[in-house]
């Protein structure tokens, strides 16, 4: 069973981050979502990721999978 973020599957997390430029830090991920889709469930999920530099969407998805 796939757990969701804001009622969506984790794979749809990329839709919330559309247009984000890499590399970026965790704060950049949450800030981007706040500007484009202020869904606090998504923001909270991103703020729960490890605070590091992400160079690709795949790294974000991997970190999300490990923390959720």
């Amino acid at each position: 069973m796939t757990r969701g973020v804001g009622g969506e599957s984790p794979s749809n997390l990329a839709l919330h981050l559309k247009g984000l430029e890499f590399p970026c830090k965790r704060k950049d991920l949450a800030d981007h979502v706040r500007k484009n889709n202020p869904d606090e469930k998504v923001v909270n999920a991103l703020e729960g990721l490890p605070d590091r530099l992400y160079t690709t969407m795949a790294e974000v998805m991997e970190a999300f999978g490990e923390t959720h």
Side-chain angles (χ1 to χ4, degrees):
M1 178 167 101
T2 303
R3 285 192 248 165
V5 175
E8 299 180 21
S9 71
S11 63
N12 287 335
L13 185 63
L15 294 176
H16 295 288
L17 296 173
K18 186 176 179 179
L20 179 69
E21 293 187 24
F22 290 93
C24 62
K25 292 198 158 232
R26 177 184 66 190
K27 181 182 182 317
D28 301 321
L29 298 170
D31 288 347
H32 183 79
V33 170
R34 279 190 185 99
K35 285 190 282 186
N36 296 303
N37 179 6
D39 183 332
E40 285 303 310
K41 290 180 183 178
V42 176
V43 172
N44 291 338
L46 292 170
E47 288 177 337
L49 298 180
D51 190 16
R52 65 179 187 88
L53 187 66
Y54 295 92
T55 59
T56 66
M57 183 62 71
E59 288 181 4
V60 174
M61 296 304 298
E62 181 179 340
F64 180 82
E66 291 172 357
T67 59
H68 293 85

